[in-house]
Amino acid sequence: MDFSTLIQILDSTLRLATPLLLACLAGLFSERSGIFDIGLEAKMLIAAFFSAAFAYSTGSVWLGLLAGIAASMVFAAIHGLASITFRGNQLISGVALNFLASGMTVLIAQNWFQQGGRTPSLIGGARFEGIELPFAIGPNEAAETGRPLSELLSEAGPLQLLYSELISGHSILVYVALAAVPATWWILYRTRFGLRLRAVGENPAAVDTAGVSVIGLRYAAVVIAGLLCGIAGAYLATGLQAGFVKDMTAGRGYIALAALIFAKWRPWYALGACLLFGALQALALRTDVAEAIFPFKMPVQLLDSLPYILTVVILAGFVGKAIPPRAGGQPYVKER
């Protein structure tokens, strides 16, 4: 495997890890406040549909992004209402939302577009395009010099190739996801809001005694989770792909939960865990590279299932070792 092939694998890893990372950080905010969120899948799926539908209908990817975020936050509000206000079972609420999103998206898509539960392909301004960073070798430089892009890249050094092919050329939502990691760390560990949020997940009674609203903090965490899942779903439909198809999240919400447990509810560890899952998904797309790595020929079906196998392994091996917030999954009843 040469250097350029490695760069291509890493580039695919970063793109495929982006929705996982956003969903993982969404789950981190929610679960740090004591609200388990199995419904990450539902929020991403509903956001993917509405972002693609509105982007196609209006021709603006930004309006599609706003529509996806709004749809995700509606589902987040439903989960918050069921889990926080009515003190329902948080796991059941999340699973119910997953089923609701799976059926609702196909039903509305078929009624809206009559294309078998999918949206038409997105083109032009209805999609997020890659951003060419300064000094990177890309289509713009190729157009200016009149030389083929492949020829310019073949003459580039390793660092220039790394910058041009791996760091540059992604859509803005990829950079947003990467920036969200240090932002999440700073919010959780360097702000008063973050301190209170973590305290609510560990001992809500103590927070309530201090005069801070437990319900308000938990709703804030659920809303942040809805925002991040909305961006993740919109990226799936308008950045990673060019439209919505049935169940296009393909279990990414559950994979994000496994990554969150693997990362022990820490932002920087979450980045590493999501990149690991993204690398497995990237390998599944490059069977030639997988055959060079593994000593035996692996069936395509096995390569496709590797992220899900790792999810089961992590859930089986780390659930007992990774200690979740102590008040996680428990509705809070204010003492009178």
Side-chain angles (χ1 to χ4, degrees):
M1 182 170 60
D2 58 11
F3 185 70
S4 60
T5 303
L6 177 62
I7 293 296
Q8 292 172 8
I9 293 294
L10 293 176
D11 180 71
S12 297
T13 296
L14 191 55
R15 295 176 192 271
L16 293 168
T18 295
L20 297 178
L21 179 58
L22 288 166
C24 187
L25 294 177
L28 191 150
F29 272 103
S30 183
E31 297 197 7
R32 277 289 191 176
S33 73
I35 302 298
F36 287 162
D37 198 350
I38 303 294
L40 298 176
E41 181 93 356
K43 290 192 279 288
M44 280 199 292
L45 189 60
I46 199 73
F49 168 70
F50 276 101
S51 62
F54 273 78
Y56 175 79
S57 300
T58 63
S60 170
V61 69
W62 295 104
L63 290 178
L65 174 62
L66 291 176
I69 291 174
S72 175
M73 294 182 76
V74 168
F75 267 48
I78 294 173
H79 182 57
L81 192 66
S83 303
I84 302 171
T85 302
F86 295 119
R87 306 189 188 100
N89 187 296
Q90 298 171 12
L91 301 181
I92 298 299
S93 172
V95 171
L97 287 176
N98 289 339
F99 283 119
L100 178 62
S102 181
M104 178 187 291
T105 50
V106 176
L107 181 64
I108 299 176
Q110 176 60 25
N111 188 52
W112 194 338
F113 300 106
Q114 289 86 40
Q115 294 195 9
R118 59 188 299 165
T119 63
S121 296
L122 304 179
I123 57 174
R127 283 199 68 199
F128 281 107
E129 301 292 343
I131 299 174
E132 188 175 323
L133 299 179
F135 310 111
I137 300 174
N140 291 342
E141 183 172 343
E144 291 174 1
T145 58
R147 299 171 62 190
L149 180 59
S150 57
E151 183 180 326
L152 293 175
L153 290 173
S154 64
E155 297 174 357
L159 290 179
Q160 181 68 23
L161 190 64
L162 185 73
Y163 176 71
S164 301
E165 288 285 275
L166 180 59
I167 299 176
S168 178
H170 298 287
S171 72
I172 189 171
L173 297 186
V174 174
Y175 301 114
V176 168
L178 294 175
V181 177
T184 298
W185 175 86
W186 183 79
I187 290 172
L188 287 178
Y189 295 99
R190 290 293 183 271
T191 66
R192 181 180 298 178
F193 171 76
L195 175 63
R196 290 174 173 176
L197 191 72
R198 288 183 288 123
V200 163
E202 297 293 337
N203 192 342
V207 175
D208 193 17
T209 302
V212 179
S213 172
V214 173
I215 292 177
L217 283 170
R218 287 187 166 179
Y219 264 111
V222 168
V223 167
I224 294 173
L227 171 66
L228 292 172
C229 282
I231 299 174
Y235 172 74
L236 276 176
T238 61
L240 190 62
Q241 299 186 32
F244 174 84
V245 295
K246 178 184 177 182
D247 293 331
M248 70 181 304
T249 47
R252 284 181 172 88
Y254 300 108
I255 294 176
L257 284 175
L260 182 60
I261 294 172
F262 190 34
K264 298 182 179 179
W265 293 270
R266 298 178 183 178
W268 290 108
Y269 291 178
L271 173 61
C274 291
L275 288 175
L276 173 61
F277 280 106
L280 291 177
Q281 292 180 337
L283 280 178
L285 299 176
R286 291 291 301 268
T287 55
D288 56 329
V289 176
E291 290 175 0
I293 294 176
F294 297 101
F296 55 90
K297 185 176 181 179
M298 296 184 67
V300 176
Q301 294 82 357
L302 181 58
L303 286 173
D304 289 336
S305 64
L306 280 179
Y308 306 100
I309 294 173
L310 183 60
T311 299
V312 174
V313 170
I314 287 176
L315 291 177
F318 283 83
V319 166
K321 298 177 183 178
I323 302 174
R326 283 184 294 177
Q330 302 174 9
Y332 177 67
V333 180
K334 185 179 178 68
E335 295 182 1
R336 300 188 183 279

